[in-house]
Amino acid sequence: MAAKTYTVTGMTCSHCVNSVTEEVGRIPGVTGVQVDLTSGAVTVTSAQPVDDTAVAAAVDEAGYERAR
């Protein structure tokens, strides 16, 4: 089991959280996504480590940006 936390900017409401959760959850191998709206922390759990580029692309698809 692998877990990694990213910071996502631009989220302001529960709809934002749902969008990010849905898009990141579509990445193959992802088993869970936890989003903290207040801090922008997005914790991704998976069976194997997930490619950071895939997470950034999913966050972008949801309409937000992964902080560097």
Side-chain angles (χ1 to χ4, degrees), residues 5-26:
T5 301
Y6 303 89
T7 300
V8 174
T9 59
M11 298 185 297
T12 59
C13 64
S14 62
H15 174 73
C16 302
V17 170
N18 292 339
S19 295
V20 170
T21 301
E22 183 178 324
E23 289 298 332
V24 174
R26 291 180 178 167

Side-chain angles (χ1 to χ4, degrees), residues 13-64:
C13 64
S14 62
H15 174 73
C16 302
V17 170
N18 292 339
S19 295
V20 170
T21 301
E22 183 178 324
E23 289 298 332
V24 174
R26 291 180 178 167
I27 299 171
V30 169
T31 57
V33 181
Q34 293 291 325
V35 180
D36 182 337
L37 178 60
T38 305
S39 67
V42 177
T43 302
V44 180
T45 55
S46 56
Q48 301 293 324
V50 176
D51 182 39
D52 291 344
T53 305
V55 174
V59 168
D60 182 63
E61 183 66 28
Y64 307 96

